[in-house]
Amino acid sequence: MAEEQLVITNKAGEPVEGCTLCLVKLQGPCISWVRPAQWIRPCFGKHHSHENWFWPEGTDLPKIKESFQNVKSLQNYEIMQVTDSHFMARKYTPFLQWVDVVDITVSKDAESGTYRGDAWSMSAGCCPASCCCAPLGGLLCCLFPFGDHGKTAKHLDHVKGVFASNGAPIGHLEVLTFGESREHSASPRHTIIDRVWGEAPASPVKSPQEGAGFDGVVTEA
C-alpha cells in the first residue's frame, strides 16, 4: 500500500501548493532536526513546553505506540520517528508554516510497572519553512528571543487527545513549562494535575476525506 502523503493546509484551510509547498517540504525537515531556536533553551522559556505524563496502571506499551502512530490523523502533523521508547513529529503551523517539534521519550517505572512520558513541544526556528533560506535565517537568528503564542502547549494537548481517543488516556501530568500559554499560566509550574484525559481536547484534525481520527473538524488559528 502506498504511503499516505501529508497534506499541509494554510490558515484558510486550503492545501499549500506550488513553490510554497516545495519550500516547506524541502526546508521543514532540516529545520526540525537542527532546531536552532532551542540552542538557547536554558536561557529562554517562551518558545517551548515541557510536561511529564503518567499513564494509569494497565496501559501497555503497544497501545502507547499505536497512539503515537495515530498522531498523523492531526492536521499538519508529520511523524518523524516512532520506536518503543521515543516519538517525534513535526507540526507545520497553518500561518506561514512555522515548524514546531513534539518530542516524547517513554520509560517504564521499575517499581510500579507503569509508563511515563517526558514530553516536549518546541518551536524549531524563528523563520517559517515557507520563507526562502529559512534554515540559514534560523541559524543566523538563533539568539533572537521570540514567543510561541501558546502553540507549543496546545500541541501537547492535541497529542494527549489522540491518546484519549485511542483508549490510552494520560492518568495525570506534571506541567513544567508552558511557553506563552495563557490557559496553562493559571497553574504554577511544577504542579501535578490529577486529571484523566478521557476526552480529546479540541484538535485541528484532518477532514473526513483525509481519514480523520476524530469526529468533526476544528480549525486552528
Side-chain angles (χ1 to χ4, degrees):
M1 182 180 293
E3 184 177 353
E4 181 182 356
Q5 293 295 316
L6 173 68
V7 178
I8 302 172
T9 57
N10 58 25
K11 194 172 182 180
E14 301 171 345
V16 175
E17 298 176 334
C19 293
T20 300
L21 180 61
C22 291
L23 284 171
V24 171
K25 288 199 170 185
L26 180 65
Q27 300 183 131
C30 178
I31 297 172
S32 64
W33 284 108
V34 178
R35 305 178 201 175
Q38 297 303 311
W39 293 354
I40 61 170
R41 185 166 66 193
C43 305
F44 188 72
K46 293 297 185 181
H47 52 29
H48 69 270
S49 297
H50 183 201
E51 299 177 357
N52 285 327
W53 296 353
F54 302 87
W55 280 275
E57 186 177 355
T59 304
D60 56 18
L61 186 59
K63 179 62 70 173
I64 294 175
K65 189 173 181 180
E66 179 185 343
S67 299
F68 281 148
Q69 294 284 3
N70 287 340
V71 168
K72 63 184 178 183
S73 66
L74 296 174
Q75 184 185 39
N76 289 11
Y77 280 77
E78 184 176 21
I79 293 177
M80 300 165 59
Q81 183 182 35
V82 177
T83 68
D84 287 344
S85 61
H86 194 210
F87 166 81
M88 281 196 297
R90 66 178 65 93
K91 157 73 174 178
Y92 295 102
T93 65
F95 182 62
L96 294 181
Q97 293 75 60
W98 265 278
V99 181
D100 296 334
V101 176
V102 175
D103 192 322
I104 304 168
T105 301
V106 177
S107 60
K108 186 175 183 179
D109 185 82
E111 295 183 2
S112 66
T114 59
Y115 290 93
R116 61 169 291 174
D118 182 31
W120 290 83
S121 176
M122 63 202 85
S123 300
C126 67
C127 295
S130 59
C131 175
C132 186
C133 299
L136 178 60
L139 292 174
L140 294 176
C141 299
C142 65
L143 298 180
F144 176 74
F146 65 95
D148 64 2
H149 302 283
K151 297 297 184 182
T152 58
K154 286 186 177 181
H155 299 338
L156 293 180
D157 285 348
H158 296 161
V159 176
K160 290 196 289 282
V162 173
F163 279 101
S165 298
N166 203 56
I170 307 299
H172 66 276
L173 60 90
E174 180 182 10
V175 178
L176 302 177
T177 58
F178 45 79
E180 290 186 327
S181 174
R182 295 180 180 178
E183 297 176 9
H184 293 72
S185 61
S187 300
R189 297 185 184 187
H190 305 287
T191 296
I192 295 292
I193 300 177
D194 287 307
R195 171 189 171 188
V196 175
W197 292 78
E199 298 180 0
S203 307
V205 300
K206 295 180 180 179
S207 64
Q209 291 79 6
E210 295 181 69
F214 304 99
D215 296 328
V217 176
V218 180
T219 302
E220 181 184 15

